[in-house]
Structures are given as C-alpha cells and as structure tokens.
Amino acid sequence: SYVLTQSPSLSVAPGQTATISCGGNSLSTKNVHWYQQRPGQAPILVVYDDSRRPSGTPDRFFGSNSVNTATLTISRVEAGDEATYYCQVWDATTDHFVFGFGTEVTVL
Amino acid sequence: QVQLQESGPGLVKPSETLSLTCTVSGGSISGFYWSWIRQSPGKGLEWVGYIYDNGDSNYTPSLKGRVSTSVDSSKNQLSLTLNSVTAADTAVYYCARGGRHVIAGPLESWGQGILVTVS
C-alpha cells in the first residue's frame, strides 16, 4: 500500500517560516492536498492539487511537490497556525485515499 | 456553502453494528465523491472509504468485509455501516465531500465529526 511519511512535529517562532514535508514514492505524479486540524476541530483544506489555495487560505500558505517530496510552507507564522497538518493523496494503483501521519506545528 | 452533519449513536456495544448518517445541506450529493474518515483518540486521520453518487465505492483494506456505505440522493444523505465493532473502532467519524467527477480531488468540505465509543 502507498505510504506518506511526515515528521511528527516541529516548533517555530512567531513570524518565522514553518516547512512541513510529506514523502512518498513518485509523489510528484499525484495530486497532494494539505489539511489543517486544530485541536478539537475538524480538518480544513488549506492547499489542494499541490499548490492551489482555497478561498480563505492566506497566501502565507504555499505548497509544492517535486519528485518524492511535497512541502507545505507557512511564512510569517502566527499563533493561529498552531495545528496538526496532514498531507493526502489518492493512489490510483489501489484506488485508496491515503493520509500522511500528520505534523504537529507548535508556535513558540 | 455546503454543510455536512454526521449523526448516529455515540455508544455502541462490542460485536454490534455501528451506523452513521451524514446529512448534506446547501448542495447536492450528485456528481461528487464522498468519503468517510475516522480518527482514533490522539491519533491521525484514517480514510475509511469512499462512495460516488452512482454507487461506486472502495474501502480501506483493514476494514474491508466489515464496512459499507450508501447514498440516498432523495434525502441528500450518506450512510456508513461498520459491523462487528471492537474497542479499536472507537473514534471520531467524519464525512467529507471530495472532488466533483474527479476521484483525486481534495476533501474540500468536512462535517464536524461524531465521536463513537465502543464499550
């Protein structure tokens, strides 16, 4: 089965940049979506199709996808960005949806 | 703006059947892929399965044989059934709307989730 790997956690100071990685075999051939989940809340979509932002997502959120790694970059981090971020793809080989393990972002 | 609302019993006994409904308002079920996702306490997101409006569906291998989904377009509702539950099925269950005619599309709208405890 297809696996997406993410680092468990990272800490970042307000105003700095958070870089969240998502690894998978030939990931650049798939559409990667990113979700933000604040504690006690449902996930919300923040980036889709590698780099597109839904209306409502600040332009501080930037997505990219190359070879085997997709990246979600959050610039000028704010306290409200503190959450767990999940990457997700649909794997055509298995016809399954796959989530990464999640990266918990702490704003210092 | 489409809204999704999960409903069902919050407590299910071991070996019994978990049945949930997702009611969709502000939009149609037709033409979209719909997924169920669950999250065990303190854990990450686990995809459970998807269903398309024509009934096409698939499920995560770990639950295959115990899980099924259905769509009732007349009521704008989805349903999830999970048989022979154990404590390991205790989780918050979410329904989410996926891509329009495109299975690889994002899960762009989510319900608030419902906690189901097996005990």
Side-chain angles (χ1 to χ4, degrees):
Chain A
S1 61
Y2 194 80
V3 176
L4 293 173
T5 57
Q6 296 182 246
S7 297
S9 62
L10 71 89
S11 298
V12 59
Q16 298 304 302
T17 298
T19 302
I20 304 163
S21 297
C22 173
N25 188 39
S26 299
L27 189 54
S28 61
T29 64
K30 305 181 188 304
N31 294 330
V32 178
H33 316 303
W34 291 92
Y35 305 88
Q36 175 193 69
Q37 186 179 34
R38 296 188 175 104
Q41 297 186 18
I44 62 170
L45 179 70
V46 291
V47 167
Y48 68 100
D49 291 352
D50 299 338
S51 61
R52 304 181 71 173
R53 284 185 298 269
S55 61
T57 298
D59 60 6
R60 302 183 295 104
F61 287 73
F62 177 80
S64 63
N65 187 7
S66 179
V67 191
N68 296 319
T69 303
T71 303
L72 177 67
T73 303
I74 311 172
S75 59
R76 305 183 302 280
V77 165
E78 302 174 356
D81 299 330
E82 189 162 278
T84 300
Y85 293 83
Y86 296 90
C87 55
Q88 177 259 314
V89 300
W90 173 72
D91 177 40
T93 301
T94 57
D95 189 27
H96 292 159
F97 287 67
V98 180
F99 285 98
F101 303 132
T103 298
E104 184 177 13
V105 173
T106 300
V107 181
L108 301 170
Chain B
Q1 180 80 354
V2 67
Q3 293 189 326
L4 289 70
Q5 178 71 58
E6 303 88 350
S7 59
L11 183 63
V12 181
K13 294 185 185 323
S15 80
E16 295 191 345
T17 296
L18 180 162
S19 296
L20 298 176
T21 298
C22 174
T23 300
V24 180
S25 58
S28 174
I29 279 185
S30 298
F32 289 94
Y33 285 86
W34 301 88
S35 277
W36 288 92
I37 302 99
R38 70 180 186 178
Q39 186 170 37
S40 300
K43 302 297 184 182
L45 301 173
E46 178 187 19
W47 174 72
V48 172
Y50 79 78
I51 188 165
Y52 190 49
D53 65 352
N54 64 359
D56 286 349
S57 61
N58 202 359
Y59 307 103
T60 187
S62 64
L63 297 179
K64 235 171 187 175
R66 291 202 296 133
V67 65
S68 65
T69 58
S70 63
V71 170
D72 187 336
S73 298
S74 67
K75 295 183 179 178
N76 245 27
Q77 289 181 334
L78 316 165
S79 67
L80 173 73
T81 301
L82 183 62
N83 301 319
S84 305
V85 298
T86 69
D89 296 311
T90 293
V92 175
Y93 286 77
Y94 298 98
C95 58
R97 191 179 79 173
R100 180 169 183 168
H101 306 307
V102 178
I103 191 171
L107 301 170
E108 56 184 6
S109 299
W110 294 61
Q112 65 185 26
I114 182 169
L115 174 62
V116 178
T117 301
V118 178
S119 179

